[in-house]
Amino acid sequence: MINHMADVIECPHCKWKISNVHDYLEVGDMAGEFELNCESCKKPFKVDFYSVFYFATEKI
């Protein structure tokens, strides 16, 4: 089962949450994937990421 979470990477093995996600991204990255070893249990896993933009408008 794929687990989608916003602004956090969660290890699929031990559920450790990594909140410093920007450390793993390059400026301008909109989507991609990379492999990571968990900071806690040290097991490897794959991370897929994508960007979502929300726009709001108001009268000026």
Side-chain angles (χ1 to χ4, degrees), residues 52-58:
V52 177
F53 296 95
Y54 295 91
F55 297 91
T57 61
E58 65 181 73

Side-chain angles (χ1 to χ4, degrees), residues 7-9 16-25 36 39:
D7 301 325
V8 67
I9 298 170
W16 178 262
K17 290 180 179 53
I18 302 167
S19 60
N20 57 336
V21 298
H22 297 288
D23 291 349
Y24 301 99
L25 303 175
L36 188 62
E39 296 172 350

Side-chain angles (χ1 to χ4, degrees), residues 6 11 14-15 35 48-49 54 56:
C11 174
C14 71
K15 305 305 181 197
E35 292 184 5
D48 290 318
F49 68 94
Y54 295 91

